[in-house]
Amino acid sequence: MALTVGLRPLTRALLRPWARVPGAALGRPAAGSGDGVRCFGSPRVLVEPDPAAVGVAVMKMRNPPVNSLSLEFLTELLISLEKLENDKTFRGIIITSDCPGIFSAGLDLLEMYGRDPAHCAEYWKAVQELWLRVYLSNLVVIGAINGISPAGGCLLSLSCDYRVLANNPKYAIGLNETLLGIIAPFWFKDVLVNTIGHRAAERALQLGFLFPPSDALQVGIVDQVVPEDQVQSTARSVMAQWLAIPDHARQLTKNLVRKPTADRLLQQRDADIQNFVRFISRDSIQKSLHVYLEKLKQKKG
Ligand SMILES: CC/C=C\C/C=C\CCCC/C=C/C(=O)SCCNC(=O)CCNC(=O)[C@H](O)C(C)(C)COP(=O)(O)OP(=O)(O)OC[C@H]1O[C@@H](n2cnc3c(N)ncnc32)[C@H](O)[C@@H]1OP(=O)(O)O
């Protein structure tokens, strides 16, 4: 799936492949490279083959200050994911953050506030694409959640196959959209229902719950809570457990479980985009976003 088609020239320029040792297929040292496998990525996404785990890549999100999912950042994530999917030396990805204390602050509010319908449509298409790419990935995708993870950040986490959260009370996770005066679209809702069950999801969505780690574990929005300095090592050991399963059987099973949920969006992607553009363009919604952005600014004192 050529994802670079339709990218804005700036974005395409941003994503020129980084210098790589000739012939270094990700996951294998290039002939004569000597120093092992090179990383690749782009300004906001660093992908490093895990030196301790053959076939595993660590994808570090580094869009400071809060890994907000801007259009450029989404595009870089998508292209990095596509590269990894196409590189058969990789079987698993650990997604984590390079922004201290924050996994991802979710969708970039400035991509939805004060923007024209055409931009909102382009942005929402990229949001849909990231979810589909992660949720349906043939790779094992493990979230090493080392920071707070509201809304879109929570969706990214939920789209992984397994979630390891650092046991820091500040690192809450949840679909908090109602607190902003907006709503999670049906496919966000579907993933949460699939993960924590209908009643728990209904309550969490309506109240905009951000679960601290202990509650997140209890409700099932994450699979494991560990000390902060063990998140990456735990993700790596869980990855080894998942990679012990033959890829083809695991991939077919993942598809069996997830495709009905993904199909609900795939069958109505354009309608979903139009719904989003209509909803986000409402004066009342724009006002809510303005109020929320102002609160964020006032918070800084
Ligand atoms: C029919 C219906 C169809 C569709 C559905 C409708 C609508 C679509 C949207 C639905 C889905 C939405 C998903 C989302 O993800 S919305 C975003 C939700 N995110 C949040 O609520 C988090 C907001 N941020 C915070 O709470 C804090 O910033 C955070 C993450 C705890 C970090 O705190 P701190 O370290 O103190 O940092 P600051 O708050 O000072 O922030 C630094 C800087 O970043 C800016 N910023 C923070 N979050 C965002 C964001 N999500 N988008 C854009 N910018 C963000 C913040 O304003 C500061 O900016 P400054 O310039 O002042 O430095």
Side-chain angles (χ1 to χ4, degrees):
M1 188 186 327
L3 283 162
T4 50
V5 171
L7 285 184
R8 298 182 292 186
L10 169 65
T11 306
R12 211 180 282 124
L14 276 175
L15 299 174
R16 268 193 305 276
W18 282 27
R20 286 180 53 192
V21 176
L26 280 169
R28 276 196 304 271
S33 68
D35 59 353
V37 177
R38 298 286 187 174
C39 63
F40 81 92
S42 52
R44 301 174 183 86
V45 180
L46 177 64
V47 179
E48 295 171 318
D50 186 330
V54 173
V56 177
V58 180
M59 178 184 279
K60 293 180 178 177
M61 299 188 286
R62 49 184 198 172
N63 186 30
V66 296
N67 280 337
S68 52
L69 297 168
S70 66
L71 183 56
E72 273 74 22
F73 186 30
L74 286 167
T75 305
E76 292 184 26
L77 287 167
L78 282 166
I79 288 179
S80 292
L81 286 165
E82 188 180 22
K83 279 187 180 179
L84 287 166
E85 289 271 355
N86 293 339
D87 187 312
K88 295 313 167 200
T89 60
F90 275 99
R91 302 177 60 216
I93 312 175
I94 294 172
I95 300 180
T96 194
S97 167
D98 238 11
C99 292
I102 296 159
F103 183 68
S104 167
L107 303 191
D108 190 313
L109 294 162
L110 301 178
E111 299 280 11
M112 303 185 279
Y113 175 67
R115 294 288 192 148
D116 64 42
H119 175 85
C120 290
E122 182 189 15
Y123 179 65
W124 198 245
K125 186 172 183 178
V127 175
Q128 291 174 339
E129 194 64 32
L130 180 70
W131 175 64
L132 290 166
R133 174 72 69 177
V134 176
Y135 193 64
L136 295 177
S137 174
N138 274 329
L139 302 168
V140 177
V141 185
I142 293 181
I145 310 167
N146 52 349
I148 191 167
S149 190
C154 177
L155 176 77
L156 178 58
S157 307
L158 289 171
S159 306
C160 297
D161 293 298
Y162 192 93
R163 286 160 290 285
V164 182
L165 176 59
N167 193 14
N168 181 323
K170 291 181 186 169
Y171 299 173
I173 181 170
L175 296 180
N176 66 321
E177 285 83 348
T178 54
L179 304 184
L180 288 73
I182 56 180
I183 67 171
F186 72 85
W187 37 287
F188 281 47
K189 176 266 295 179
D190 287 346
V191 180
L192 188 65
V193 168
N194 291 350
T195 308
I196 67 173
H198 197 279
R199 173 55 189 155
E202 178 184 38
R203 186 160 166 258
L205 282 161
Q206 289 195 59
L207 299 177
F209 275 167
L210 283 169
F211 296 95
S214 55
D215 296 345
L217 183 65
Q218 189 190 2
V219 79
I221 207 167
V222 296
D223 299 292
Q224 227 174 324
V225 171
V226 299
E228 196 150 3
D229 62 357
Q230 294 176 22
V231 169
Q232 307 301 336
S233 58
T234 304
R236 187 180 293 135
S237 64
V238 171
M239 180 66 79
Q241 180 195 4
W242 283 64
L243 292 182
I245 305 298
D247 280 352
H248 192 51
R250 183 192 54 73
Q251 289 161 0
L252 286 173
T253 304
K254 180 170 178 175
N255 201 52
L256 182 70
V257 175
R258 293 191 166 199
K259 194 165 185 313
T261 300
D263 278 349
R264 282 196 66 207
L265 175 61
L266 286 167
Q267 287 154 9
Q268 51 180 316
R269 280 192 75 171
D270 287 343
D272 182 60
I273 290 170
Q274 295 318 314
N275 277 342
F276 165 73
V277 172
R278 274 196 297 276
F279 178 86
I280 209 75
S281 304
R282 286 184 199 168
D283 290 346
S284 59
I285 300 301
Q286 288 294 303
K287 187 169 174 9
S288 296
L289 293 179
H290 173 73
V291 168
Y292 194 74
L293 281 163
E294 285 305 304
K295 272 189 200 154
L296 288 177
K297 286 187 172 28
Q298 284 152 20
K299 193 183 66 154
K300 293 165 77 100

